[in-house]
C-alpha cells in the first residue's frame, strides 16, 4: 500500500516524493512546489516515464548520486513543453529528457542539454524508453568497448531494459550476440530481440556455452549490468584482448577484480557511469541520442515495452523492476 498525501490545490503539480531514504513504500503522492524557471530551463508536462533499476537504489540511498530529501525519483521522461526559457524549445514541443531525478510527477523542470526533440511518429512511451537505457548500452558498446562487426558480444540480463537495448544495438553494429537470462520466457525474449544464442543461466553454465559457440575464442565484449558471480564467471570466457564493460550491480554484489588475472589473460575491464558524460562530455550524449533516433527511424532498434503502468502504480512498478520479475522495459503513463 502506498501513501497518497496532501490536499489537491486548484492548479496542482503532484509528485511521488521521498521524504527520507527508505523503501519504495515510503513514497508519497503529494502536491509539491512548482519552481519558477531559471534562464535556459523548460518545464515539461510529463506523459510517460521510463522505470529503471536505479530508481529503487535512489530511493533507498544506495545510488551513486544521493539527492538530499525530499526528492522525486525518475530519470527519463517524455512529454510536452508547457513553459520555456529556451528559444529552440518553444511551448508545445514534443520532447524526451533525462533528469538527475524528478520524473515521477506531473511536471518536471529540465535542461536543454539533456532534452531531445521528438519526431511526431514517435509515441511518448517509446520516447521515455529510448533515452537512458539505450544511452547506457550505446556508450558501453560504442564508446567504451568499441565493439566491431563480427565480434562476439555477451549480454547479461538480456531480457531487462538495458540488456534488451544492448542486444538490439549489438545487432545494429553487426556483432554476434549471446545473451543470458533466467527462465524460458526471458530466454525466448532474448532470441526475439535478435540474440543468436540465448542461455538460461538457471539451467546452463554460460561459460561453457560461450566457449562452445565461439570455438574457445571467447566473448570479445561482455556487457555486464549484474556484477557479483556473473562478472567473475565472465572472466573465464573472455577472449584475448576482450573487454568487459561494467554498467551496474543488479545482483547486489560488487565483485573483487584480480589484477593478476587481467594481466595473464590480457583483457580489459571498463567502467561506464553514464551520468559523468552529462558533465564531462555533454555533446557526446546529444550525438548518441541523435544516432539512437536514427536507428529507431530505420527500424533497427525499438524499445520493447512489457508493461505500461499508470502513474498511481509507479512505486509498485519500480518495485517490480527492482525485484527482477519484469522483462524488457516498464513505462509509467501519466493520466
Amino acid at each position: 500500500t502506498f501513501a497518497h498525501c496532501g490536499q489537491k490545490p486548484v492548479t496542482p503539480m503532484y509528485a511521488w516524493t521521498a521524504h527520507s531514504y527508505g523503501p519504495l513504500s515510503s513514497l508519497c503522492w503529494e502536491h509539491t512546489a512548482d519552481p519558477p524557471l531559471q534562464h535556459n530551463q523548460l518545464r515539461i508536462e510529463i506523459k510517460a516515464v521510463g522505470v529503471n533499476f536505479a530508481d529503487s537504489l535512489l530511493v533507498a540511498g544506495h545510488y551513486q548520486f544521493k539527492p538530499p530529501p525530499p526528492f522525486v525519483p525518475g530519470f527519463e521522461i517524455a512529454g510536452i513543453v508547457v513553459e520555456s526559457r529556451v528559444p529552440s524549445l518553444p511551448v508545445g514541443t514534443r520532447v524526451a529528457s533525462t533528469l538527475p531525478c524528478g520524473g515521477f510527477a506531473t511536471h518536471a523542470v529540465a535542461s536543454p542539454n539533456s532534452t531531445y526533440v521528438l519526431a511526431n511518429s514517435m509515441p511518448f512511451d517509446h520516447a521515455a524508453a529510448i533515452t537512458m537505457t539505450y544511452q547506457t548500452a550505446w556508450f558501453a558498446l560504442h564508446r567504451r568497448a568499441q565493439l566491431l562487426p563480427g565480434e562476439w558480444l555477451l549480454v547479461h540480463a538480456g531480457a531487462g531494459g538495458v540488456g534488451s537495448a544492448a542486444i538490439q544495438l549489438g545487432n545494429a553494429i553487426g556483432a554476434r550476440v549471446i545473451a543470458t537470462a533466467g527462465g524460458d520466457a526471458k530466454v525466448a525474449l532474448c532470441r526475439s530481440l535478435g540474440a543468436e544464442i540465448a542461455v538460461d543461466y538457471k539451467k546452463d553454465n554460460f561459460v561453457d556455452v560461450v566457449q562452445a559457440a565461439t570455438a574457445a575464442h571467447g566473448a570479445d565484449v561482455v556487457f555486464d549490468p549484474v556484477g557479483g558471480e556473473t562478472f567473475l564467471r565472465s572472466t573465464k570466457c573472455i577472449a584475448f584482448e576482450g573487454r568487459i564493460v561494467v554498467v551496474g550491480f543488479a545482483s547486489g554484489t560488487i565483485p573483487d577484480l584480480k589484477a593478476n588475472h587481467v594481466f595473464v589473460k590480457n583483457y580489459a575491464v571498463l567502467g561506464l557511469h553514464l551520468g559523468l558524460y552529462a558533465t564531462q562530455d555533454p555533446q557526446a550524449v546529444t550525438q548518441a541520442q541523435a544516432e539512437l533516433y536514427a536507428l529507431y527511424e530505420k527500424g533497427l532498434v525499438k524499445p520493447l515495452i512489457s508493461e505500461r503502468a499508470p502513474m498511481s502504480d509507479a512505486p509498485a512498478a519500480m518495485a517490480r523492476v527492482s525485484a527482477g520479475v519484469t522483462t524488457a522495459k516498464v513505462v509509467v503513463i501519466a493520466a
Side-chain angles (χ1 to χ4, degrees), residues 139-220:
F139 275 97
L141 301 183
H142 284 270
R143 186 76 172 248
R144 302 300 284 141
Q146 298 183 34
L147 179 66
L148 298 173
E151 287 192 313
W152 285 99
L153 168 65
L154 174 60
V155 176
H156 291 303
V162 71
S164 61
I167 291 174
Q168 292 183 34
L169 287 173
N171 277 325
I173 291 169
R176 303 184 68 179
V177 182
I178 303 172
T180 68
D184 293 341
K186 291 185 177 182
V187 166
L189 178 61
C190 290
R191 291 197 183 99
S192 72
L193 290 167
E196 183 175 331
I197 299 170
V199 185
D200 185 348
Y201 66 80
K202 294 181 178 180
K203 297 179 181 177
D204 301 308
N205 184 341
F206 71 78
V207 173
D208 294 338
V209 174
V210 169
Q211 294 297 81
T214 65
H217 171 80
D220 297 291

Side-chain angles (χ1 to χ4, degrees), residues 9 32-33 44 108 118 156 168 185 211 236-237 271 281 300-301 326:
T32 186
I44 300 170
L118 300 176
H156 291 303
Q168 292 183 34
Q211 294 297 81
K236 300 182 184 300
C237 61
D281 193 355
L300 294 176
V301 301
T326 60

Side-chain angles (χ1 to χ4, degrees), residues 152-154 206-207 210-211 214 216-223 231-245 261-262 264-269:
W152 285 99
L153 168 65
L154 174 60
F206 71 78
V207 173
V210 169
Q211 294 297 81
T214 65
H217 171 80
D220 297 291
V221 172
V222 177
F223 180 88
F231 172 88
L232 296 176
R233 290 169 63 195
S234 296
T235 66
K236 300 182 184 300
C237 61
I238 189 70
F240 170 74
E241 293 193 328
R243 294 85 75 197
I244 301 176
V245 188
H261 195 261
V262 176
V264 169
K265 291 199 69 174
N266 212 67
Y267 64 92
V269 178

Side-chain angles (χ1 to χ4, degrees), residues 305-321:
I305 300 172
S306 61
E307 180 182 346
R308 293 167 177 84
M311 184 65 79
S312 59
D313 194 41
M318 286 183 257
R320 290 192 290 275
V321 171

